Amino acid sequence: MVRQGLGSSLYDLRVQAEFQLKVAPVHAFYLRPPFEALLFVPFTFLSYRAAYTAWLLFSLAVLAGVARLIQGNTNVLDAMLQYTRGIPVDFGLLLIVFLTFSPIMDCLLIGQDSVLMLMIYTLVFLALKRGRELEAGALLACGLFKFHLVLPFAIIFALRRRWSFLGGFAGIALLLITASVLVSGPGVLASYPAMFLNSQYRMLMGFQPEYAANIRGLVYLITGDRIPVAISGTVVAALSAFLLWVTARNWKDSEFELCFSAAVIATLLTGYHSFVYDLSLLLLPIAIVCGELAKRKILLSNLTLNSTLVVLFVPPLHHLLIVHHIYALMCVPAVVLFVCVVTVAARQPAEP
């Protein structure tokens, strides 16, 4: 649609369906901001199956790049060595662990873009680790194609008053908004938000809360339709705000790796929508935290953390929760993981 100059109709579901029917049955709708559509334009010159194969190979290359960056900048291999009780480990084994993580498998199979978000957060981690906050903010803004998994992280830095980070974020965000207007016209500034405010659109696009592995999904499973939406929404907003405040309040630069990991997990828990493939992002904080605990020789003794990792890394469990329409329960191990990280970070004395 964008290639043929129909960017102004990008969120007209009828037009989307017409274009989909040219290559396959209607099975999903495009709901990302217009600027991300530019990334997919080159793939439209291929056949549908060839485009899927090309995207899969691209995603695998990105995932391999992420694994290499994580290996080189964390102690994750030391953590794996402790788990294997001395059996040699290498990059190949790390990549296999990443590939067999159920959210990653789901992402690759259905052609999702969560691996790109994982790469962006990895680059943000490296920039912050080197003290480049302006660059880190700019990199984070590149993930605005999934704004619900970016804005909570930015809010944490706003609560910490990291103005350089927010300046970089705002600069790139403005450029992406401009690109979106060029693709779809000024009207997209109103039509795009309106799509998410329409309850029928949300249902059609798969925003059912029982599949959201976050606070919103867990509150829905507990309350169901027994209380008004306004009350449940207020509860979700209050819990989310509290979690972000706790994350910002307990940030210590002396424990940067752990605090960054807690912020990423908090972002997943407070984002409006978080389906199985979005949990691919957990690989980064898990690798960082395990590496830090391995360095301190307390990894194997942390039973709560290790039990949580077992739950997260059992592929059939993810499948069962999806089949039974209760994937929101995956929020529980994510919350436990967050508490473990914050607890370990709090044990260390703060910097003067």
Side-chain angles (χ1 to χ4, degrees):
M1 292 172 63
V2 171
R3 200 184 83 194
Q4 295 185 14
L6 295 176
S8 59
S9 302
L10 193 56
Y11 302 106
D12 185 325
L13 301 189
R14 180 185 58 80
V15 179
Q16 280 199 40
E18 290 176 0
F19 271 78
Q20 282 199 50
L21 286 171
K22 296 178 181 179
V23 293
V26 177
H27 53 283
F29 291 100
Y30 181 81
L31 48 83
R32 301 279 188 264
F35 69 82
E36 196 194 11
L38 297 174
L39 173 64
F40 300 113
V41 168
F43 294 90
T44 66
F45 292 95
L46 303 173
S47 68
Y48 192 58
R49 290 182 179 274
Y52 169 77
T53 302
W55 179 255
L56 176 62
L57 293 174
F58 172 75
S59 299
L60 287 170
V62 172
L63 182 63
V66 168
R68 183 64 75 180
L69 289 174
I70 290 177
Q71 176 201 357
N73 295 277
T74 70
N75 297 300
V76 65
L77 289 189
D78 292 338
M80 294 173 64
L81 191 62
Q82 291 186 24
Y83 281 131
T84 61
R85 302 290 183 174
I87 298 175
V89 298
D90 57 12
F91 170 74
L93 181 59
L94 176 64
L95 184 58
I96 289 174
V97 171
F98 278 23
L99 282 169
T100 54
F101 187 46
S102 187
I104 288 288
M105 287 193 291
D106 190 85
C107 173
L108 296 176
L109 285 171
I110 66 176
Q112 266 289 337
D113 53 4
S114 297
V115 173
L116 289 178
M117 186 64 73
L118 179 60
M119 171 61 87
I120 288 171
Y121 266 99
T122 301
L123 295 175
V124 170
F125 169 69
L126 297 181
L128 289 175
K129 190 174 182 180
R130 295 163 184 165
R132 301 173 181 172
E133 290 199 353
L134 181 68
E135 177 184 331
L139 287 167
L140 181 68
C142 294
L144 281 170
F145 57 87
K146 285 195 172 187
F147 55 88
H148 58 287
L149 296 181
V150 164
L151 294 180
F153 194 91
I155 290 173
I156 291 172
F157 272 71
L159 292 172
R160 297 182 59 226
R161 301 179 182 180
R162 311 305 294 184
W163 308 125
S164 178
F165 181 95
L166 296 174
F169 182 86
I172 298 300
L174 183 59
L175 289 176
L176 295 177
I177 291 174
T178 302
S180 295
V181 171
L182 292 175
V183 169
S184 299
V188 75
L189 299 178
S191 63
Y192 186 65
M195 181 176 61
F196 292 96
L197 296 175
N198 188 312
S199 60
Q200 292 181 338
Y201 272 27
R202 289 201 304 271
M203 183 66 67
L204 188 62
M205 292 182 291
F207 280 180
Q208 295 94 326
E210 60 266 29
Y211 297 107
N214 54 18
I215 291 174
R216 170 176 166 259
L218 188 61
V219 168
Y220 177 82
L221 282 188
I222 295 173
T223 62
D225 297 321
R226 294 184 293 276
I227 63 175
V229 175
I231 295 178
S232 62
T234 301
V235 172
V236 171
L239 291 174
S240 299
F242 176 73
L243 187 62
L244 295 177
W245 178 83
V246 167
T247 306
R249 179 70 177 80
N250 290 279
W251 188 291
K252 293 189 293 188
D253 289 336
S254 60
E255 292 293 326
F256 163 71
E257 287 81 3
L258 295 179
C259 292
F260 175 88
S261 300
V264 174
I265 300 169
T267 296
L268 280 168
L269 290 171
T270 57
Y272 180 80
H273 182 66
S274 181
F275 197 52
V276 54
Y277 41 76
D278 291 317
L279 295 191
S280 301
L281 196 55
L282 281 177
L283 284 177
L284 178 60
I286 287 173
I288 296 172
V289 171
C290 288
E292 286 299 304
L293 269 59
K295 184 169 64 175
R296 304 174 192 191
K297 307 301 181 184
I298 58 174
L299 175 62
L300 298 182
S301 62
N302 195 320
L303 297 180
T304 303
L305 172 66
N306 291 314
S307 300
T308 303
L309 295 183
V310 169
V311 172
L312 289 171
F313 278 87
V314 175
L317 179 58
H318 291 265
H319 176 72
L320 286 173
L321 294 181
I322 293 172
V323 169
H324 293 284
H325 315 293
I326 52 173
Y327 193 75
L329 287 177
M330 197 53 69
C331 171
V332 176
V335 170
V336 175
L337 181 62
F338 174 83
V339 173
C340 286
V341 176
V342 171
T343 301
V344 173
R347 290 173 183 166
Q348 305 301 319
E351 285 184 335

PDB file of all heavy atoms in Angstrom, residues 219-238:
ATOM      1  N   VAL A 219      -4.689  -8.496  36.053  1.00  0.00           N
ATOM      2  CA  VAL A 219      -5.858  -7.901  36.706  1.00  0.00           C
ATOM      3  C   VAL A 219      -7.137  -8.376  36.024  1.00  0.00           C
ATOM      4  O   VAL A 219      -8.138  -8.681  36.687  1.00  0.00           O
ATOM      5  CB  VAL A 219      -5.769  -6.356  36.668  1.00  0.00           C
ATOM      6  CG1 VAL A 219      -7.099  -5.727  37.084  1.00  0.00           C
ATOM      7  CG2 VAL A 219      -4.651  -5.873  37.582  1.00  0.00           C
ATOM      8  N   TYR A 220      -7.102  -8.495  34.687  1.00  0.00           N
ATOM      9  CA  TYR A 220      -8.286  -8.969  33.964  1.00  0.00           C
ATOM     10  C   TYR A 220      -8.612 -10.410  34.346  1.00  0.00           C
ATOM     11  O   TYR A 220      -9.794 -10.752  34.543  1.00  0.00           O
ATOM     12  CB  TYR A 220      -8.063  -8.863  32.459  1.00  0.00           C
ATOM     13  CG  TYR A 220      -9.217  -9.402  31.656  1.00  0.00           C
ATOM     14  CD1 TYR A 220     -10.350  -8.618  31.428  1.00  0.00           C
ATOM     15  CD2 TYR A 220      -9.196 -10.702  31.147  1.00  0.00           C
ATOM     16  CE1 TYR A 220     -11.427  -9.116  30.701  1.00  0.00           C
ATOM     17  CE2 TYR A 220     -10.273 -11.201  30.427  1.00  0.00           C
ATOM     18  CZ  TYR A 220     -11.380 -10.410  30.208  1.00  0.00           C
ATOM     19  OH  TYR A 220     -12.452 -10.918  29.503  1.00  0.00           O
ATOM     20  N   LEU A 221      -7.583 -11.275  34.442  1.00  0.00           N
ATOM     21  CA  LEU A 221      -7.845 -12.671  34.809  1.00  0.00           C
ATOM     22  C   LEU A 221      -8.454 -12.769  36.203  1.00  0.00           C
ATOM     23  O   LEU A 221      -9.306 -13.622  36.459  1.00  0.00           O
ATOM     24  CB  LEU A 221      -6.549 -13.477  34.754  1.00  0.00           C
ATOM     25  CG  LEU A 221      -6.037 -13.913  33.383  1.00  0.00           C
ATOM     26  CD1 LEU A 221      -4.857 -14.861  33.543  1.00  0.00           C
ATOM     27  CD2 LEU A 221      -7.133 -14.583  32.555  1.00  0.00           C
ATOM     28  N   ILE A 222      -8.018 -11.893  37.092  1.00  0.00           N
ATOM     29  CA  ILE A 222      -8.513 -11.936  38.471  1.00  0.00           C
ATOM     30  C   ILE A 222      -9.927 -11.387  38.568  1.00  0.00           C
ATOM     31  O   ILE A 222     -10.790 -11.952  39.260  1.00  0.00           O
ATOM     32  CB  ILE A 222      -7.565 -11.155  39.404  1.00  0.00           C
ATOM     33  CG1 ILE A 222      -6.202 -11.851  39.465  1.00  0.00           C
ATOM     34  CG2 ILE A 222      -8.152 -11.047  40.804  1.00  0.00           C
ATOM     35  CD1 ILE A 222      -5.142 -11.075  40.215  1.00  0.00           C
ATOM     36  N   THR A 223     -10.187 -10.280  37.887  1.00  0.00           N
ATOM     37  CA  THR A 223     -11.476  -9.599  38.023  1.00  0.00           C
ATOM     38  C   THR A 223     -12.477  -9.979  36.938  1.00  0.00           C
ATOM     39  O   THR A 223     -13.689  -9.967  37.175  1.00  0.00           O
ATOM     40  CB  THR A 223     -11.277  -8.078  37.988  1.00  0.00           C
ATOM     41  OG1 THR A 223     -10.719  -7.694  36.710  1.00  0.00           O
ATOM     42  CG2 THR A 223     -10.320  -7.638  39.087  1.00  0.00           C
ATOM     43  N   GLY A 224     -11.962 -10.314  35.732  1.00  0.00           N
ATOM     44  CA  GLY A 224     -12.867 -10.633  34.635  1.00  0.00           C
ATOM     45  C   GLY A 224     -13.776  -9.471  34.301  1.00  0.00           C
ATOM     46  O   GLY A 224     -13.363  -8.309  34.305  1.00  0.00           O
ATOM     47  N   ASP A 225     -15.028  -9.778  34.038  1.00  0.00           N
ATOM     48  CA  ASP A 225     -16.021  -8.736  33.751  1.00  0.00           C
ATOM     49  C   ASP A 225     -16.878  -8.431  34.974  1.00  0.00           C
ATOM     50  O   ASP A 225     -17.960  -7.839  34.858  1.00  0.00           O
ATOM     51  CB  ASP A 225     -16.924  -9.188  32.593  1.00  0.00           C
ATOM     52  CG  ASP A 225     -16.138  -9.387  31.309  1.00  0.00           C
ATOM     53  OD1 ASP A 225     -15.220  -8.579  31.053  1.00  0.00           O
ATOM     54  OD2 ASP A 225     -16.439 -10.347  30.571  1.00  0.00           O
ATOM     55  N   ARG A 226     -16.374  -8.800  36.140  1.00  0.00           N
ATOM     56  CA  ARG A 226     -17.176  -8.636  37.357  1.00  0.00           C
ATOM     57  C   ARG A 226     -17.158  -7.213  37.890  1.00  0.00           C
ATOM     58  O   ARG A 226     -17.984  -6.857  38.732  1.00  0.00           O
ATOM     59  CB  ARG A 226     -16.689  -9.604  38.430  1.00  0.00           C
ATOM     60  CG  ARG A 226     -16.924 -11.073  38.083  1.00  0.00           C
ATOM     61  CD  ARG A 226     -16.521 -11.985  39.228  1.00  0.00           C
ATOM     62  NE  ARG A 226     -15.091 -11.962  39.448  1.00  0.00           N
ATOM     63  CZ  ARG A 226     -14.211 -12.706  38.776  1.00  0.00           C
ATOM     64  NH1 ARG A 226     -14.635 -13.514  37.808  1.00  0.00           N
ATOM     65  NH2 ARG A 226     -12.918 -12.646  39.043  1.00  0.00           N
ATOM     66  N   ILE A 227     -16.197  -6.399  37.466  1.00  0.00           N
ATOM     67  CA  ILE A 227     -16.151  -5.009  37.915  1.00  0.00           C
ATOM     68  C   ILE A 227     -16.107  -4.107  36.685  1.00  0.00           C
ATOM     69  O   ILE A 227     -15.689  -4.531  35.611  1.00  0.00           O
ATOM     70  CB  ILE A 227     -14.925  -4.739  38.814  1.00  0.00           C
ATOM     71  CG1 ILE A 227     -13.624  -4.961  38.023  1.00  0.00           C
ATOM     72  CG2 ILE A 227     -14.955  -5.628  40.045  1.00  0.00           C
ATOM     73  CD1 ILE A 227     -12.383  -4.591  38.819  1.00  0.00           C
ATOM     74  N   PRO A 228     -16.555  -2.861  36.833  1.00  0.00           N
ATOM     75  CA  PRO A 228     -16.561  -1.939  35.689  1.00  0.00           C
ATOM     76  C   PRO A 228     -15.161  -1.736  35.120  1.00  0.00           C
ATOM     77  O   PRO A 228     -14.161  -1.788  35.838  1.00  0.00           O
ATOM     78  CB  PRO A 228     -17.112  -0.635  36.283  1.00  0.00           C
ATOM     79  CG  PRO A 228     -17.889  -1.063  37.476  1.00  0.00           C
ATOM     80  CD  PRO A 228     -17.163  -2.254  38.033  1.00  0.00           C
ATOM     81  N   VAL A 229     -15.122  -1.495  33.819  1.00  0.00           N
ATOM     82  CA  VAL A 229     -13.839  -1.285  33.146  1.00  0.00           C
ATOM     83  C   VAL A 229     -13.105  -0.091  33.737  1.00  0.00           C
ATOM     84  O   VAL A 229     -11.871  -0.102  33.864  1.00  0.00           O
ATOM     85  CB  VAL A 229     -14.067  -1.083  31.631  1.00  0.00           C
ATOM     86  CG1 VAL A 229     -12.755  -0.729  30.935  1.00  0.00           C
ATOM     87  CG2 VAL A 229     -14.675  -2.331  31.012  1.00  0.00           C
ATOM     88  N   ALA A 230     -13.841   0.935  34.119  1.00  0.00           N
ATOM     89  CA  ALA A 230     -13.206   2.136  34.674  1.00  0.00           C
ATOM     90  C   ALA A 230     -12.442   1.815  35.957  1.00  0.00           C
ATOM     91  O   ALA A 230     -11.336   2.324  36.188  1.00  0.00           O
ATOM     92  CB  ALA A 230     -14.259   3.211  34.942  1.00  0.00           C
ATOM     93  N   ILE A 231     -13.022   0.932  36.793  1.00  0.00           N
ATOM     94  CA  ILE A 231     -12.362   0.586  38.053  1.00  0.00           C
ATOM     95  C   ILE A 231     -11.133  -0.279  37.797  1.00  0.00           C
ATOM     96  O   ILE A 231     -10.062  -0.028  38.349  1.00  0.00           O
ATOM     97  CB  ILE A 231     -13.352  -0.149  38.982  1.00  0.00           C
ATOM     98  CG1 ILE A 231     -14.493   0.784  39.379  1.00  0.00           C
ATOM     99  CG2 ILE A 231     -12.628  -0.674  40.218  1.00  0.00           C
ATOM    100  CD1 ILE A 231     -15.538   0.143  40.256  1.00  0.00           C
ATOM    101  N   SER A 232     -11.267  -1.300  36.942  1.00  0.00           N
ATOM    102  CA  SER A 232     -10.122  -2.162  36.651  1.00  0.00           C
ATOM    103  C   SER A 232      -9.017  -1.362  35.971  1.00  0.00           C
ATOM    104  O   SER A 232      -7.824  -1.560  36.235  1.00  0.00           O
ATOM    105  CB  SER A 232     -10.547  -3.336  35.771  1.00  0.00           C
ATOM    106  OG  SER A 232     -11.030  -2.886  34.519  1.00  0.00           O
ATOM    107  N   GLY A 233      -9.408  -0.415  35.098  1.00  0.00           N
ATOM    108  CA  GLY A 233      -8.412   0.427  34.447  1.00  0.00           C
ATOM    109  C   GLY A 233      -7.670   1.301  35.436  1.00  0.00           C
ATOM    110  O   GLY A 233      -6.452   1.511  35.314  1.00  0.00           O
ATOM    111  N   THR A 234      -8.393   1.795  36.431  1.00  0.00           N
ATOM    112  CA  THR A 234      -7.762   2.615  37.465  1.00  0.00           C
ATOM    113  C   THR A 234      -6.782   1.794  38.288  1.00  0.00           C
ATOM    114  O   THR A 234      -5.680   2.260  38.629  1.00  0.00           O
ATOM    115  CB  THR A 234      -8.831   3.223  38.391  1.00  0.00           C
ATOM    116  OG1 THR A 234      -9.728   4.023  37.609  1.00  0.00           O
ATOM    117  CG2 THR A 234      -8.191   4.090  39.463  1.00  0.00           C
ATOM    118  N   VAL A 235      -7.156   0.564  38.595  1.00  0.00           N
ATOM    119  CA  VAL A 235      -6.267  -0.323  39.344  1.00  0.00           C
ATOM    120  C   VAL A 235      -4.992  -0.603  38.546  1.00  0.00           C
ATOM    121  O   VAL A 235      -3.878  -0.544  39.088  1.00  0.00           O
ATOM    122  CB  VAL A 235      -6.990  -1.652  39.684  1.00  0.00           C
ATOM    123  CG1 VAL A 235      -6.002  -2.656  40.290  1.00  0.00           C
ATOM    124  CG2 VAL A 235      -8.135  -1.397  40.649  1.00  0.00           C
ATOM    125  N   VAL A 236      -5.156  -0.903  37.262  1.00  0.00           N
ATOM    126  CA  VAL A 236      -3.997  -1.174  36.409  1.00  0.00           C
ATOM    127  C   VAL A 236      -3.088   0.047  36.342  1.00  0.00           C
ATOM    128  O   VAL A 236      -1.862  -0.067  36.462  1.00  0.00           O
ATOM    129  CB  VAL A 236      -4.453  -1.578  34.995  1.00  0.00           C
ATOM    130  CG1 VAL A 236      -3.261  -1.636  34.042  1.00  0.00           C
ATOM    131  CG2 VAL A 236      -5.153  -2.927  35.033  1.00  0.00           C
ATOM    132  N   ALA A 237      -3.682   1.227  36.156  1.00  0.00           N
ATOM    133  CA  ALA A 237      -2.898   2.463  36.063  1.00  0.00           C
ATOM    134  C   ALA A 237      -2.142   2.732  37.363  1.00  0.00           C
ATOM    135  O   ALA A 237      -0.966   3.115  37.345  1.00  0.00           O
ATOM    136  CB  ALA A 237      -3.806   3.639  35.723  1.00  0.00           C
ATOM    137  N   ALA A 238      -2.812   2.504  38.499  1.00  0.00           N
ATOM    138  CA  ALA A 238      -2.175   2.754  39.795  1.00  0.00           C
ATOM    139  C   ALA A 238      -1.023   1.786  40.040  1.00  0.00           C
ATOM    140  O   ALA A 238       0.066   2.190  40.482  1.00  0.00           O
ATOM    141  CB  ALA A 238      -3.214   2.639  40.910  1.00  0.00           C
TER     142      ALA A 238
END
